[in-house]
Amino acid sequence: MRAILDIVLLVLQIYIWLLIASAVLSWLVAFNVVNTRNQVVATVGDFLYRITEPVLRPIRSAMPNLGGIDVSPVILILLILLLENVIIRYVYPNVF
């Protein structure tokens, strides 16, 4: 059972890094640092969008309009860190 919890924690950490990569790529595209016509950039951007958008969409719809500032990845990262903390402190020690 601890192996399953370790895998869950690893997946949560990977998802945090995917959220960070998605946010950084969106900034790079917004400031014209990378060209979305490049096939590699488009493929990576599409992958990150498909992985992160289904989870971020409900958070964005619940948030008020902040004038173009998207804080939904930060909120999701904080929620994931809270979930990891709960798993590590309360679930993991009680599993045999």
Side-chain angles (χ1 to χ4, degrees):
M1 187 65 180
R2 285 190 181 206
I4 294 173
L5 288 176
D6 287 336
I7 291 172
V8 168
L9 291 171
L10 180 65
V11 168
L12 289 173
Q13 280 296 314
I14 291 171
Y15 199 77
I16 287 174
W17 285 107
L18 288 173
L19 285 166
I20 293 169
S22 177
V24 169
L25 183 65
S26 71
W27 295 337
L28 293 175
V29 169
F31 293 122
N32 290 326
V33 175
V34 294
N35 188 1
T36 55
R37 293 181 186 164
N38 184 342
Q39 187 64 33
V40 174
V41 174
T43 304
V44 170
D46 185 53
F47 169 74
L48 290 173
Y49 179 81
R50 288 177 188 238
I51 292 293
T52 59
E53 189 59 28
V55 182
L56 291 174
R57 189 177 304 125
I59 296 172
R60 285 187 185 126
S61 66
M63 293 288 300
N65 187 5
L66 297 175
I69 298 173
D70 186 18
V71 294
S72 59
V74 174
I75 292 172
L76 183 58
I77 288 173
L78 290 175
L79 289 173
I80 290 172
L81 290 175
L82 175 71
L83 179 63
E84 283 181 348
N85 242 344
V86 168
I87 290 172
I88 290 170
R89 291 177 189 246
Y90 299 110
V91 179
Y92 200 80
N94 296 325
V95 174
F96 299 106

